[in-house]
Amino acid sequence: FPANSQKTLEYAELIHGSGAHLLTLINDILDLAKIEAGGWTLSETDVDLRAAIVNTCAMIRSRTDTAGCKLVVDADADIPFICCDERALKQILLNLLTNAIKFTPRDGRVTVFAHRADNGGVSFGVADTGVGIAADDQQRVFQNFGQGRHDVVTADKGTGLGLPIVKGLVDAHGGSVELRSRVGEGTTVTVRLPPERVRAERDIRAAS
């Protein structure tokens, strides 16, 4: 490109990036406002958790390739179906994956996991080998716009609403969210859904 055309292209890319960031911010604010106002009505169906994980990973695979980190799925082969809002479930997975990829350096690993829980429920989530979160910041990341200090290591700071949205959606399903992290070693976010969310295979056949 001529010098002036190259400069125009750079400006266009900056404007596009800023616009995309603003659109993400607006959508996140709207989602969180719906959740906090009780306006997010759950549309509950029997969802194949393992399939939802695989599909979400396929959606975000190009982002992990660009970031240069490895994406791994560690889900029990016999993970049960769960009664949940499928759109909300995929939003939870997508937000957790986006956060993990953002803060995992090149050649790191991001693992999506799902296991049966001892109490009859299920647990799933995302673990990464990223920069980690300081102990003093770990509760703040669940607050609106509550980004932790590890944001200083990346230019893509996001909206700060990813984990608050996750927590709101999990709360709406009667579940809980746990975050464990150590600076320099990575972060694991675990979602736990209660036994009443688990569907037995016979129940699914009867409903079909």
Side-chain angles (χ1 to χ4, degrees):
F1 292 103
N4 59 338
S5 297
Q6 182 64 39
K7 186 63 68 176
T8 300
L9 180 61
E10 291 174 4
Y11 287 152
E13 289 175 345
L14 286 172
I15 293 169
H16 179 270
S18 297
H21 178 81
L22 181 59
L23 180 60
T24 299
L25 175 61
I26 291 170
N27 287 335
D28 282 353
I29 290 172
L30 290 174
D31 281 347
L32 193 61
K34 285 181 183 178
I35 294 168
E36 292 184 341
W40 187 301
T41 303
L42 295 181
S43 177
E44 297 181 348
T45 57
D46 294 333
V47 179
D48 184 336
L49 176 56
R50 185 182 177 86
I53 289 172
V54 171
N55 291 341
T56 306
C57 287
M59 289 170 53
I60 209 163
R61 180 72 65 177
S62 62
R63 196 173 301 185
T64 58
D65 291 343
T66 300
C69 57
K70 186 175 182 180
L71 181 59
V72 178
V73 175
D74 175 22
D76 293 346
D78 62 344
I79 201 73
F81 278 59
I82 56 175
C83 179
C84 69
D85 184 314
E86 186 169 13
R87 175 174 172 249
L89 173 64
K90 289 183 177 179
Q91 185 72 52
I92 290 167
L93 290 167
L94 192 60
N95 284 12
L96 293 180
L97 277 165
T98 300
N99 258 20
I101 294 166
K102 186 191 309 179
F103 297 113
T104 299
R106 185 168 292 274
D107 296 326
R109 178 188 295 257
V110 174
T111 302
V112 192
F113 58 87
H115 306 293
R116 288 180 176 269
D118 292 339
N119 68 349
V122 295
S123 63
F124 65 92
V126 175
D128 65 62
T129 59
V131 297
I133 305 171
D136 292 344
D137 291 331
Q138 290 181 21
Q139 287 304 313
R140 190 156 65 92
V141 297
F142 288 105
Q143 299 170 6
N144 298 354
F145 303 99
Q147 298 165 320
R149 292 178 193 163
H150 63 326
D151 276 355
V152 298
V153 303
T154 177
D156 180 11
K157 296 185 187 304
T159 65
L161 295 177
L163 288 179
I165 289 173
V166 166
K167 186 176 187 306
L169 293 175
V170 173
D171 287 347
H173 285 82
S176 63
V177 185
E178 178 187 57
L179 182 146
R180 292 187 178 182
S181 185
R182 294 187 68 176
V183 173
E185 295 184 13
T187 300
T188 299
V189 181
T190 303
V191 174
R192 292 186 174 85
L193 295 182
E196 53 267 29
R197 287 283 171 189
V198 175
R199 295 298 304 273
E201 186 177 350
R202 61 178 180 277
D203 295 333
I204 297 171
R205 287 202 303 268
S208 60

